[in-house]
Amino acid sequence: MSKPTGDSLHPGKGFWGNCPRPTLPAILGALLLAVCLALLSVAAEATASPAPRLIPSAAGTSGGDAPPAVLSGLVVTGEPSPTGRWIVAGRPGRLTDARAKRFGAAAISRPLGIYALAEGSATGFIISLRRVGTYRFSEPDVRTISAEPAPEESPVNREGPDWWLSQIARPNAPPKKIDRNSPTLALLEQSLDPKHPDLAGLEARDRLLDPFSLGDLTDARGTAMTALAASLAGEKDGRTTGVWPGMRVRLVRHQETCESKTRAVYRAARSGRNEVLAMGYAFPGDQCFAHYLATEYAVYRGIVPVAAAGNQDSSIAGSVPPRPASDPHVLTVTASDQERAVWDRAVSGPWVDLVAPGVALEVPWLSPGGEGEPLRRDWTPRSGTEYSTAIVAAAAAWILQARPTLEARQVIRLLTNAATPLGESGRSPLSGHGLLNLSRALREGAPIDDPHEPNDDIGWVRADSLLVDSEGGQPVKRKVFWQSGDRTKKVTATLGRVKDPADVYRIQVGPKAKLRIKVSQFAGNSKLTVIRSDASSIKSLEAGQVVAASDRPPGKKADAVEITNPSDLWLTAFVAIEVSAKQSGDRENATYRLAVESRP
């Protein structure tokens, strides 16, 4: 009997459900009814508002909500897109591509089926995708919230302009061997000024990749962030010393919109795994769901995503957390001053991971010249979590250069494990795990990896996951973790209460097969749940969807269950490992080993 090709729940008995086999007339009748209902639905949509505001019902909620939960319904709102454009996604493939071409949609990521188009054409595109069954989600394009606060009135440079280098415990000997295989900092900014004295040395050595200047004050922030990461002190009349002088920095250009920044993240992610993303901007966490998918795609590609926590005077109002700072697997950075105190204008929350200097930093800047004169290239004190982000991103790239066998998730865990605590013990909404300590991170033992990410919920690991990669333009399905015929499959992985509270694995169970699922708890406390394939999210399980579960206290025997497939068909199920509610309240992480084996 052949194996299943998707995630459909096949009829069976017992835990798996008990569904009668449909007859051919019943199938034809149901198909005809479905077609009629679909045509009526399309007609109703076509006679409604010419541009309905269709958005995901739970788009952008932080904490790793599964895509199916986000895509389960649509909400009609009265808010038009502030940019006049919409983002629409369909299942990748020729059907979606053909309809995108018909409606003039521009690809954000064609392999992932995500497009953007004028608001007036969005309704027709959505209806067309729904008609052929490939529609996934849609949302209005939005603008970023400016991350640039007002300049500091006076510098506090009691120890010189590079006072912050000693705070992060930067070694005196940065990596010297830099070539095209060295890690690259992908800077997501609009532009920078490659002719500024702090950047001229980088451009001369071909360490500044794809530089672009708008020739106005827009260049300033990108110039400052690049210099903090990579500037060669004292060269070409420069003044700033970067974290890793001479490192490779690649400008990934974009505009200040969800569409443009999402496209930039996808473009950076496609370039390769040996890269660190520096994202010094913010959206409200209930907007720009496409960007959330883009950062998770970067995680899938093995890239280290680093984001600014946000600046209160220009970032997030109310209780909405910022994106990408609050998104899973993103290393989120806040700013501190010369006294190692967290900046009182930084956005705080449980998603903050690390602190780095970012208050009253003397950075390269651009100022208006006199009448008829060009811009002045000078220096000025600035504050902002985006500058702290550049510092941490450069530190992450340094670690990748010094320890090339580490995976991206290990680099993030290494940086948080090695941080110097600030004040109270444990993770803090203000300072996360503490202040960046690069020297300690370079010498500490390698943390346990967390493979298979992103796998935070069922939607990420289905055969038709939103995060399919592409080879030759064709979607590649995410692999099954275990299937009958495999003897034993094991994986050791980690969980984090805030940024990675769950891991989900897809298994396929053959006819009459028996299996044992065991979760050994090495650190912290996790719980095990086996779930039917008709579930859409581990956060909204319905009656009968849990096949088996185990949640033993830490220190006891491993969580283990035995499953039998009594049917003559292949069945798909999902194994969820989550941080247990029994875990100590001050403990952030958990480590486990999952083993799935066939039983006689």
Side-chain angles (χ1 to χ4, degrees), residues 431-594:
S431 59
H433 297 273
L435 182 67
L436 171 65
N437 189 318
L438 180 53
S439 291
R440 186 181 298 165
L442 286 167
R443 66 175 182 263
E444 281 208 350
I448 293 174
D449 190 19
D450 190 16
H452 302 283
E453 293 292 357
N455 62 341
D456 307 275
D457 209 331
I458 292 171
W460 302 118
V461 298
R462 285 187 180 276
D464 61 345
S465 165
L466 285 172
L467 293 177
V468 291
D469 200 353
S470 66
E471 297 291 343
Q474 297 298 318
V476 175
K477 297 178 181 179
R478 297 206 73 180
K479 295 180 180 179
V480 174
F481 174 73
W482 178 93
Q483 61 186 14
S484 292
D486 294 339
R487 187 62 180 171
T488 302
K489 189 72 177 289
K490 297 180 180 180
V491 64
T492 301
T494 62
L495 299 170
R497 191 188 296 273
V498 177
K499 291 288 185 77
D500 185 21
D503 289 340
V504 179
Y505 303 87
R506 180 161 54 109
I507 63 174
Q508 290 181 335
V509 187
K512 308 298 184 182
K514 297 181 180 179
L515 64 148
R516 185 170 188 262
I517 303 172
K518 176 182 176 182
V519 176
S520 302
Q521 304 175 61
F522 294 159
N525 190 19
S526 57
K527 69 175 183 178
L528 163 67
T529 311
V530 183
I531 303 166
R532 286 169 42 130
S533 66
D534 59 346
S536 61
S537 170
I538 63 175
K539 298 184 178 182
S540 56
L541 295 175
E542 298 176 1
Q545 289 182 333
V546 174
V547 176
S550 178
D551 186 10
R552 291 192 172 102
K556 303 296 183 181
K557 293 182 178 180
D559 290 311
V561 297
E562 292 197 357
I563 302 297
T564 300
N565 173 14
S567 77
D568 296 324
L569 300 171
W570 281 83
L571 301 174
T572 294
F574 299 100
V575 178
I577 319 296
E578 301 174 75
V579 176
S580 172
K582 299 175 183 178
Q583 177 157 306
S584 172
D586 60 352
R587 188 178 186 92
E588 167 65 17
N589 301 315
T591 304
Y592 66 89
R593 174 176 292 164
L594 168 66

Side-chain angles (χ1 to χ4, degrees), residues 46-257:
T47 57
S49 168
R53 313 290 185 236
L54 300 176
I55 62 173
S57 61
T61 52
S62 62
D65 283 359
V70 174
L71 309 178
S72 60
L74 298 171
V75 176
V76 179
T77 74
E79 295 298 325
S81 165
T83 69
R85 292 178 66 78
W86 271 66
I87 296 170
V88 179
R91 186 175 294 109
R94 288 179 295 177
L95 287 175
T96 295
D97 294 341
R99 280 149 184 80
K101 184 176 181 180
R102 182 194 305 171
F103 287 94
I108 292 178
S109 174
R110 180 178 172 272
L112 300 179
I114 303 178
Y115 291 86
L117 71 169
E119 185 174 36
S121 301
T123 301
F125 187 29
I126 292 168
I127 292 173
S128 182
L129 292 178
R130 296 183 73 175
R131 184 176 297 158
V132 296
T134 67
Y135 173 76
R136 278 187 157 167
F137 73 89
S138 58
E139 62 182 348
D141 186 29
V142 294
R143 300 188 188 281
T144 54
I145 301 168
S146 173
E148 181 60 40
E152 293 294 314
E153 294 183 359
S154 60
V156 195
N157 297 325
R158 295 192 302 269
E159 304 171 23
D162 295 333
W163 58 267
W164 55 272
L165 287 173
S166 61
Q167 280 203 3
I168 66 172
R170 170 184 172 272
N172 294 324
K176 293 183 178 180
K177 185 181 179 181
I178 302 174
D179 55 32
R180 64 179 57 191
N181 296 317
S182 295
T184 302
L185 190 155
L187 180 68
L188 273 67
E189 285 293 322
Q190 290 190 75
S191 62
L192 52 78
D193 177 17
K195 303 302 181 184
H196 193 286
D198 274 356
L199 270 55
L202 292 174
E203 188 182 37
R205 286 172 168 77
D206 294 324
R207 306 281 174 77
L208 193 54
L209 312 178
D210 303 327
F212 176 78
S213 172
L214 290 170
D216 57 28
L217 298 179
T218 309
D219 293 352
R221 196 176 73 173
T223 302
M225 293 178 70
T226 303
L228 289 169
S231 180
L232 293 147
E235 294 204 359
K236 304 285 185 180
D237 300 319
R239 205 185 281 183
T240 305
T241 301
V243 174
W244 178 3
M247 74 170 294
R248 289 159 53 93
V249 177
R250 180 163 65 92
L251 176 67
V252 185
R253 295 172 51 198
H254 60 268
Q255 301 301 315
E256 298 299 311
T257 66

Side-chain angles (χ1 to χ4, degrees), residues 392-409:
V392 171
W398 184 331
I399 293 172
L400 283 172
Q401 173 82 350
R403 306 176 70 172
T405 60
L406 293 180
E407 298 293 334
R409 292 166 296 278

Side-chain angles (χ1 to χ4, degrees), residues 73 116 130 219 232 271 301 342 353 365 428 501 528 596:
R130 296 183 73 175
D219 293 352
L232 293 147
S271 67
R301 296 280 296 175
V342 175
D353 294 302
W365 207 252
S428 162
L528 163 67
V596 184

Side-chain angles (χ1 to χ4, degrees), residues 283-461:
F283 297 98
D286 56 357
Q287 299 177 9
C288 200
F289 175 69
H291 192 284
Y292 171 37
L293 297 183
T295 53
E296 294 304 283
Y297 181 66
V299 171
Y300 171 67
R301 296 280 296 175
I303 289 172
V304 180
V306 185
N311 308 323
Q312 282 184 356
D313 60 337
S314 57
S315 287
I316 307 302
S319 59
V320 178
R323 164 161 296 149
S326 62
D327 288 337
H329 313 296
V330 173
L331 181 62
T332 302
V333 186
T334 191
S336 61
D337 61 19
Q338 283 194 343
E339 306 300 327
R340 304 191 179 195
V342 175
W343 191 35
D344 59 5
R345 289 160 65 184
V347 175
S348 62
W351 54 83
V352 173
D353 294 302
L354 208 59
V355 181
V359 178
L361 301 179
E362 186 171 352
V363 296
W365 207 252
L366 301 171
S367 302
E371 185 175 351
E373 295 180 359
L375 293 175
R376 291 200 311 269
R377 297 183 173 105
D378 51 20
W379 291 261
T380 188
R382 308 292 295 193
S383 299
T385 58
E386 61 270 33
Y387 305 120
S388 307
T389 298
I391 290 171
V392 171
W398 184 331
I399 293 172
L400 283 172
Q401 173 82 350
R403 306 176 70 172
T405 60
L406 293 180
E407 298 293 334
R409 292 166 296 278
Q410 291 176 290
V411 172
I412 292 175
R413 184 63 59 83
L414 198 60
L415 286 166
T416 55
N417 287 350
T420 302
L422 297 177
E424 60 189 80
S425 60
R427 184 174 188 152
S428 162
L430 287 176
S431 59
H433 297 273
L435 182 67
L436 171 65
N437 189 318
L438 180 53
S439 291
R440 186 181 298 165
L442 286 167
R443 66 175 182 263
E444 281 208 350
I448 293 174
D449 190 19
D450 190 16
H452 302 283
E453 293 292 357
N455 62 341
D456 307 275
D457 209 331
I458 292 171
W460 302 118
V461 298

